[in-house]
Amino acid sequence: MNDGRQTWPGPRRIVVRAPEDPVEAVTEADACDAPLDVDTALVRGPLFGVAAQELDGEDSRWRVVSALKEGCPQQARDALMDLLWLRAYEDSATREERRALLPWIARLERERLDELTVLGTRFPVVRADEYAAVGPDGIETPRPTDPEPVVQDGEESLSEGRLDEDVVLDPDAPLTPSQATERLLMTGLVQTAATFPDDFREDARRAVATHPDVLILPVTFRLVQRNGFTWQLGGSLHAAPYWARKSLVFSLSWFEPREKGYIAWDFGNRQDDARSCVAAATPEVAAVLEAYADAADRVQAERLNEVEVLGTLHRVARARRLVRWGPDGPEGPRPSDVDVQEPCQIRPRLDEDGVIHHEWEDEDEDENEGAGADEGVEADGSQADRV
């Protein structure tokens, strides 16, 4: 094939390389020690994003253009539609480019498209499985060598960047020994637990044959909590433990006290948190709010990856994602993957000149045209009467 798509008879060869610098060598040693405390892997389920492949350029490798973090395929399709809309809206876009982009945007507003090719770029919706290592102490927490932004004490870092930014999906890239080991171990991942529906398990078995390779994405971090023996997810994926801890501080000090009913959902005063509401609360509620506030303060001051509050353990978990890979590239949504929403319009209408048209403007034009037509009929009628 001459379009950049690859074909091979079976799983591809893995090229193993040595760590490239001292930092990577330490990270590799940390990764080699981590499996000693692992009993099993906890598989959460699918996540979705969008990749892009330039068919006309020199580099035909895939790159992530919308992070693989969405909970259903339609959310990734919406992200693709938004990406195309923004590209058409750019000042640098030409009429010819908009003429190519706008029909695809219109189709994505009403159809469940899992792949399209426009202006020399192939855009598929990509499916990933999320999993985490589990040991005697539960879900794995961040490792000492996991990347953290450089933040001085007492200072705030820049805003969190986009997840999967600048990530290239290259299954042929050489891997360190620990990376190659993880990839080989996860190649045969199949969800066989009875908790999964029959069609979901059948699709998982079929995917091993149609997409025999896997590609491990950069590590991410998310909040989990355990009350008793069950772990529950909380919040979204983050690119570094720092951002997950900040999310935990917000959850403990602001969100959870409201969710549990200890602080009213008064959006007119968003500054109120567990600490500021203690004085006005009853003694019973004040004790709870103090517990939340103290936990949030400890996480922030001591950079804790877990804290227990009122019988619930809150933890920053180390989450992993893998993409299955076949002759035609990354795996897309499976028939058993569930959509929780329908396609819809998420941006205002854009014309070939890059001008935005809002719905109310179209309605006003229709009303004016209707009024003009009625006036014409009345005028013609009155003239006829006079004749």
Side-chain angles (χ1 to χ4, degrees):
M1 303 178 71
N2 58 6
D3 60 356
R5 307 183 190 187
Q6 297 169 315
T7 302
W8 67 96
R12 67 176 70 222
R13 181 183 61 177
I14 297 178
V15 179
V16 181
R17 62 171 176 82
E20 296 178 346
D21 53 54
V23 173
E24 190 176 52
V26 174
T27 302
E28 180 69 7
D30 195 18
C32 291
D33 291 340
L36 299 176
D37 297 325
V38 174
D39 293 333
T40 186
L42 179 65
V43 182
R44 172 187 176 267
L47 296 170
F48 302 89
V50 181
Q53 182 191 39
E54 301 295 335
L55 301 179
D56 301 331
E58 296 181 358
D59 188 354
S60 61
R61 294 180 303 171
W62 298 87
R63 53 190 173 86
V64 176
V65 293
S66 179
L68 279 80
K69 64 176 183 177
E70 308 296 351
C72 77
Q74 187 55 47
Q75 291 174 312
R77 298 183 197 109
D78 289 345
L80 174 57
M81 175 170 41
D82 195 53
L83 185 150
L84 297 180
W85 190 95
L86 290 173
R87 181 173 174 181
Y89 185 59
E90 290 178 353
D91 291 338
S92 59
T94 64
R95 285 175 60 90
E96 290 72 20
E97 289 174 333
R98 294 192 185 97
R99 285 173 180 169
L101 293 167
L102 293 177
W104 286 112
I105 295 171
R107 288 190 62 183
L108 285 166
E109 291 176 346
R110 61 179 186 274
E111 300 179 39
R112 288 178 172 170
L113 300 179
D114 290 331
E115 182 175 326
L116 60 89
T117 299
V118 59
L119 297 175
T121 303
R122 183 184 175 199
F123 294 97
V125 173
V126 179
R127 184 189 196 276
D129 281 303
E130 182 183 3
Y131 62 96
V134 180
D137 193 37
I139 299 177
E140 184 183 16
T141 56
R143 299 173 185 172
T145 52
D146 284 328
E148 296 269 21
V150 178
V151 183
Q152 301 297 327
D153 291 339
E155 294 182 0
E156 286 292 326
S157 67
L158 299 176
S159 60
E160 184 172 5
R162 181 174 65 85
L163 189 70
D164 292 339
E165 190 169 9
D166 300 326
V167 169
V168 175
L169 304 178
D170 185 2
D172 294 315
L175 305 174
T176 65
S178 68
Q179 293 168 344
T181 300
E182 182 175 9
R183 179 164 160 181
L184 286 171
L185 288 173
M186 302 309 296
T187 296
L189 175 68
V190 179
Q191 293 92 333
T192 58
T195 52
F196 293 105
D198 292 342
D199 59 343
F200 187 94
R201 287 181 287 168
E202 180 60 30
D203 282 349
R205 285 190 288 266
R206 186 183 302 110
V208 175
T210 61
H211 296 76
D213 290 306
V214 299
L215 189 148
I216 308 299
L217 296 175
V219 64
T220 56
F221 306 87
R222 68 156 69 242
L223 301 184
V224 296
Q225 54 183 251
R226 185 180 66 189
N227 192 343
F229 298 98
T230 304
W231 290 97
Q232 294 181 331
L233 296 178
S236 58
L237 294 175
H238 300 276
Y242 173 84
W243 300 110
R245 287 193 294 269
K246 285 183 68 70
S247 178
L248 179 56
V249 170
F250 172 79
S251 178
L252 293 173
S253 62
W254 195 96
F255 179 78
E256 193 154 325
R258 285 170 167 79
E259 183 185 41
K260 301 292 186 181
Y262 299 113
I263 299 177
W265 288 98
D266 181 9
F267 290 101
N269 190 355
R270 295 175 178 268
Q271 301 303 315
D272 282 343
D273 59 13
R275 179 66 69 191
S276 64
C277 291
V278 167
T282 63
E284 294 80 5
V285 173
V288 172
L289 294 178
E290 285 180 349
Y292 277 118
D294 290 343
D297 291 344
R298 288 181 56 207
V299 170
Q300 185 166 359
E302 303 174 34
R303 299 183 179 181
L304 301 179
N305 288 321
E306 70 173 27
V307 67
E308 186 171 351
V309 185
L310 304 174
T312 298
L313 179 66
H314 299 262
R315 174 175 290 185
V316 174
R318 193 177 196 271
R320 306 293 278 134
R321 297 165 297 160
L322 66 85
V323 174
R324 299 210 69 91
W325 205 275
D328 203 30
E331 183 187 16
R334 300 172 184 172
S336 58
D337 290 329
V338 178
D339 276 309
V340 297
Q341 60 193 57
E342 296 293 327
C344 65
Q345 181 179 349
I346 60 175
R347 289 280 190 175
R349 185 168 62 85
L350 193 68
D351 66 21
E352 294 180 357
D353 295 316
V355 178
I356 293 177
H357 298 270
H358 296 282
E359 291 183 1
W360 62 82
E361 295 174 346
D362 296 336
E363 293 173 357
D364 291 343
E365 290 178 2
D366 293 340
E367 290 177 0
N368 292 334
E369 290 176 0
D374 292 341
E375 292 173 358
V377 170
E378 292 174 0
D380 291 343
S382 61
Q383 180 67 26
D385 290 341
R386 284 196 294 272
V387 172

